[in-house]
Amino acid sequence: KKDGTPIEVEVNARQVLWDGKPAMMSLCRDITERKKAAEQLRKNEARLRTILNVSPVPMAMNDDHHGINFLNQAFTKTFGYTTEDIHTLEDWWLKAYPDPEYRKWVIDTWQTELLRAKGTGEDFSPMEVMVRCKNGMNKTMLAAAAPITSSLDGDHLAVLYDITERKRAEEALRDSEARFRSYFDLHLHGIAITSPEKGWLQVNDRISSILGYTREEILQLTWAEMTHPDDLAADVGQFERLLAGEIDQYQMEKRFIRKNGSVVCTNLAVGCTRRADGKVDYIVALIDDITERKQAQEGKERLEAQNRQLQKAESLGRMAGAVAHHFNNQLQTVMGNLELAMLSLPNGSDTNELLCSAMQAAGRAANVSSLMLTYLGQTITQRQTLDLSEACERNIAMLEALLPKSVAIEAEISQPGPSILADMHQLQQVLINLVSNAWEACEGIPGKIGISVGQVSVSEIPEQHRFPVEWAPRHDTYACLSVKDNGCGITDGHIEQLFDPFFSSKFTGRGMGLAVVLGIVRTHEAGITVESAPGRGSAFRLYFPIEISTPKKQSLPSIIVHEKSPVITLLVVDDEDMVREVAVTLLTRIGFSVIPAKNGQEAINLLIEHGENISCVLCDVSMPHMDGWETLSELRKVTPNLPVILASGYAEEQIMDGVHSVMPDAFLSKPYRIEQLSQAIQKAMNANTVV
């Protein structure tokens, strides 16, 4: 240009005649801007191809007239095809989609969506397709397209994003989730997943069966609502430590309240996952139902405790029986000599009064021995059918007279009550001892003692703190006598010792009352339970078998005095010298002739020697070498109808227990007095009298 700026022009020249002369006519058009635009377009296309080639996403361009005119490097790398392999769309469809039906679906869907996008200007909706590569492998692609020009028949760009690995990952994730779901739902433990922000997320079926709620019901409840109140504080404390970052997991034994109100014992394990900032993201709780295991453990511990109690009871029984026997033997000597001394003194003598006091003290000592035998359930009872309510009602006034004014009896006794087979005197002893025990428990406070009578089913009889430990209910229903108090209560440790002889929390020398109650309960084939806690009072409940039919009363045989001879000779057999000598003296004093023997063999020899003169035998049971039963058997071999009395410091029930080939005609409990001795001799001799 005139100013020196170069421009590009397009020159068109032709030969023309100008004034009849040949000339050249040139047409010049400035094409500088067009050239610049063309250069820019070339650069843009080069730039676009570069971008398309370096893109990791497979891309292809085509137009409706010339087919595929560009494949980027990622396309060739992904599928293995080049522009030489696929010149037209038809080549692409045939090679990438060899299955005819699938190919038709892809083409129809692709063209429909492409036309829609071109016609409306909206985005192409990506579609997921399976593409066959040149090497025969199939890849899952997410395909989309965009028009390059606005015309409907212009070029368009196809983009295929390889999602094969993603699909595999998704499939693996689905498999993993399926496995997790199977593990989650079928796990033997209850599993709960929660979030501090969102609360419950998931619970499995096992936790539903453990707690008795449906999944939907659990998701509507709070953790605290299902937790046993006594275990909530410990769980909350650990949970707060978890949220604070002090711990990442914790375990504990915990009780839950089931939907039906029952208690379930569990092992609870709680762990969490945390975000990058340390905050808890998710919380996972595993719950293992250990109720049966706990019950089995408690049952095992209960059996072990029962075994210990049985062993202790057996040991105490042997000791009490042996003590009672030896005690009674010695008391026999004491009381026999006291009685002989009293018979030798004139009435009104000061010495006689002293001996009477000594005899009363010996009698009380014998009563202690009797109580020990009662504890063992080895006392003779005269049981009859009683209305339990009526029997208790008749004793209320007597019981109230025993109590101080600060203690009141509140009786709830319905009439008529259940019938039981019982000894009225022993039932009265039970009431006196239980009420006395309740009164002492109320020391220092206004006492209330509740006495009630009712009928309960066997399912209502608790297993805990049930005595005797060997007792087990065998009937569907039982008569129940309950004595409650609002006193100081009893600790668990003391409950196990309550019925031991001479155990007392008061002072030394007490403690036979409840032991006697247990012995009477044992004699009546009954049971007793104790419910108590410190500061909450106590409840003693006795369970007697219900008596349906009324037993027939049996009349005792009349006593016929044996007067065969004016002088009756007795053979006295006892290995204890003093006991034997006292018996000889007592019998001599009341007019009998006596032949003493130190042991069973000597007694047999004396019977053979004096057989015709001996009318009756008084024989001790516990002797060395040959005991009373063996002696009795040998004596009967010598004289079959010989009247024999067995004497022992043990209880009659214990001595008579078992099967014996021969039986005595009477039994005499030591210590005995002259009157009891005379009655035993008369009974034995009358039993062998032929009328």
Side-chain angles (χ1 to χ4, degrees), residues 242-314:
L242 188 80
L243 294 180
E246 298 178 16
I247 56 176
D248 287 327
Q249 60 182 11
Y250 65 89
Q251 295 184 10
M252 62 184 295
E253 282 193 9
K254 178 178 175 178
R255 291 168 294 175
F256 289 91
I257 305 296
R258 291 173 56 87
K259 184 178 180 179
N260 61 8
S262 61
V263 177
V264 58
C265 299
T266 69
N267 265 337
L268 173 66
V270 179
C272 68
T273 60
R274 299 184 184 275
R275 297 190 291 264
D277 60 0
K279 298 295 183 181
V280 172
D281 193 10
Y282 295 105
I283 300 166
V284 180
L286 269 67
I287 300 175
D288 182 18
D289 185 354
I290 60 170
T291 305
E292 291 185 0
R293 190 194 316 166
K294 292 285 287 184
Q295 290 173 346
Q297 180 64 28
E298 290 171 0
K300 180 182 177 182
E301 293 174 356
R302 186 163 54 249
L303 284 175
E304 290 175 350
Q306 287 179 351
N307 285 333
R308 289 194 298 270
Q309 289 289 330
L310 286 171
Q311 291 170 2
K312 182 175 71 173
E314 183 180 356

Side-chain angles (χ1 to χ4, degrees), residues 436-669:
S436 298
N437 186 73
W439 158 40
E440 291 181 355
C442 299
E443 184 178 1
I445 62 172
K448 292 182 181 180
I449 301 176
I451 299 177
S452 62
V453 174
Q455 187 169 314
V456 298
S457 65
V458 67
S459 61
E460 297 177 75
I461 302 176
E463 294 185 9
Q464 189 177 21
H465 301 322
R466 189 170 71 189
F467 304 89
V469 292
E470 70 274 12
W471 182 74
R474 302 181 184 277
H475 307 284
D476 293 334
T477 54
Y478 279 80
C480 178
L481 167 61
S482 175
V483 178
K484 301 180 182 179
D485 65 69
N486 63 335
C488 58
I490 311 165
T491 64
D492 272 357
H494 281 172
I495 288 177
E496 298 299 326
Q497 300 173 280
L498 273 180
F499 298 98
D500 292 352
F502 303 109
F503 171 79
S504 174
S505 59
K506 299 297 179 181
F507 50 85
T508 305
R510 301 285 300 281
M512 277 303 290
L514 291 180
V516 168
V517 169
L518 182 63
I520 293 172
V521 165
R522 184 182 279 116
T523 301
H524 286 74
E525 299 176 358
I528 184 170
T529 62
V530 183
E531 181 182 338
S532 185
R536 298 183 183 180
S538 304
F540 290 77
R541 295 182 177 89
L542 283 70
Y543 303 93
F544 295 92
I546 293 178
E547 180 68 13
I548 299 175
S549 60
T550 303
K552 295 181 179 179
K553 294 183 178 180
Q554 298 180 353
S555 57
L556 295 175
S558 59
I559 297 176
I560 302 174
V561 179
H562 180 62
E563 297 180 352
K564 182 177 179 180
S565 171
V567 178
I568 299 174
T569 300
L570 267 72
L571 176 62
V572 176
V573 190
D574 201 307
D575 63 310
E576 292 278 348
D577 293 340
M578 288 190 294
V579 174
R580 186 176 64 252
E581 290 169 3
V582 167
V584 170
T585 305
L586 285 173
L587 290 169
T588 303
R589 178 63 63 90
I590 58 178
F592 290 96
S593 173
V594 183
I595 300 175
K598 297 179 181 179
N599 53 56
Q601 187 59 55
E602 185 178 355
I604 294 167
N605 295 336
L606 289 172
L607 180 62
I608 294 172
E609 182 180 351
H610 304 283
E612 295 181 358
N613 297 325
I614 295 175
S615 302
C616 185
V617 178
L618 174 60
C619 181
D620 185 39
V621 174
S622 301
M623 297 185 298
H625 307 300
M626 182 183 290
D627 64 16
W629 287 105
E630 294 173 316
T631 303
L632 170 61
S633 179
E634 294 300 320
L635 290 174
R636 287 281 172 79
K637 290 178 181 178
V638 177
T639 306
N641 295 322
L642 179 66
V644 177
I645 304 167
L646 288 183
S648 178
Y650 289 104
E652 180 178 354
E653 287 188 354
Q654 185 177 2
I655 294 299
M656 295 300 178
D657 187 35
V659 179
H660 304 284
S661 58
V662 292
M663 296 297 291
D665 299 286
F667 180 82
L668 190 60
S669 294

Side-chain angles (χ1 to χ4, degrees), residues 45-270:
E45 287 180 350
R47 189 181 299 116
L48 177 60
R49 285 179 179 274
T50 301
I51 292 172
L52 293 178
N53 273 324
V54 299
S55 172
V57 179
M59 296 182 185
M61 285 192 297
N62 73 286
D63 60 52
D64 293 338
H65 300 291
H66 302 96
I68 296 175
N69 54 30
F70 173 77
L71 297 176
N72 72 346
Q73 293 176 4
F75 190 99
T76 300
K77 183 178 180 182
T78 301
F79 301 111
Y81 300 115
T82 64
T83 52
E84 287 75 17
D85 298 318
I86 47 175
H87 297 287
T88 65
L89 278 175
E90 185 176 358
D91 292 338
W92 168 250
W93 298 131
L94 289 172
K95 292 179 180 179
Y97 309 100
D99 182 83
E101 292 185 5
Y102 188 64
R103 180 169 64 247
K104 183 178 184 305
W105 175 83
V106 173
I107 292 173
D108 292 345
T109 305
W110 179 271
Q111 290 179 343
T112 300
E113 183 61 25
L114 186 61
L115 290 173
R116 185 195 65 80
K118 285 183 176 182
T120 62
E122 296 177 355
D123 293 336
F124 187 101
S125 297
M127 56 185 292
E128 189 176 301
V129 293
M130 186 74 70
V131 176
R132 173 71 63 86
C133 300
K134 187 176 182 179
N135 62 7
M137 292 181 59
N138 289 327
K139 290 193 175 184
T140 304
M141 310 301 291
L142 193 63
I148 298 176
T149 62
S150 59
S151 63
L152 294 179
D153 58 352
D155 294 352
H156 68 272
L157 176 68
V159 179
L160 294 91
Y161 184 74
D162 188 356
I163 60 172
T164 305
E165 294 304 320
R166 191 186 80 183
K167 293 293 289 184
R168 289 175 181 170
E170 288 176 352
E171 187 65 29
L173 180 60
R174 280 194 296 271
D175 290 343
S176 175
E177 287 180 346
R179 287 194 296 271
F180 169 76
R181 175 58 61 183
S182 176
Y183 176 84
F184 185 78
D185 288 337
L186 300 178
H187 202 281
L188 296 177
H189 292 79
I191 305 176
I193 303 176
T194 66
S195 166
E197 293 83 12
K198 299 178 182 179
W200 293 105
L201 297 176
Q202 293 185 65
V203 294
N204 66 351
D205 289 336
R206 178 57 180 156
I207 202 170
S208 296
S209 66
I210 291 174
L211 300 180
Y213 294 95
T214 65
R215 289 188 179 189
E216 293 72 20
E217 288 173 332
I218 291 177
L219 297 179
Q220 299 301 316
L221 296 170
T222 65
W223 191 255
E225 287 176 309
M226 296 182 291
T227 299
H228 191 287
D230 294 343
D231 294 350
L232 183 59
D235 192 13
V236 169
Q238 292 287 74
F239 189 74
E240 289 178 347
R241 293 183 63 202
L242 188 80
L243 294 180
E246 298 178 16
I247 56 176
D248 287 327
Q249 60 182 11
Y250 65 89
Q251 295 184 10
M252 62 184 295
E253 282 193 9
K254 178 178 175 178
R255 291 168 294 175
F256 289 91
I257 305 296
R258 291 173 56 87
K259 184 178 180 179
N260 61 8
S262 61
V263 177
V264 58
C265 299
T266 69
N267 265 337
L268 173 66
V270 179

Side-chain angles (χ1 to χ4, degrees), residues 385-396:
T385 301
L386 300 174
D387 183 310
L388 183 57
S389 293
E390 181 183 353
C392 292
E393 187 73 43
R394 287 167 55 188
N395 284 281
I396 294 297

Side-chain angles (χ1 to χ4, degrees), residues 376-434:
L376 296 174
Q378 296 176 359
T379 54
I380 299 175
T381 61
Q382 300 294 328
R383 287 190 278 177
Q384 58 184 330
T385 301
L386 300 174
D387 183 310
L388 183 57
S389 293
E390 181 183 353
C392 292
E393 187 73 43
R394 287 167 55 188
N395 284 281
I396 294 297
M398 178 270 294
L399 295 172
E400 288 177 332
L402 296 175
L403 302 176
K405 294 181 179 179
S406 61
V407 180
I409 291 180
E410 298 177 350
E412 295 182 6
I413 302 175
S414 58
Q415 298 284 357
S419 296
I420 64 171
L421 191 63
D423 184 303
M424 184 63 192
H425 174 69
Q426 289 195 340
L427 184 61
Q428 187 180 64
Q429 276 189 289
V430 166
L431 284 168
I432 291 173
N433 287 327
L434 289 180

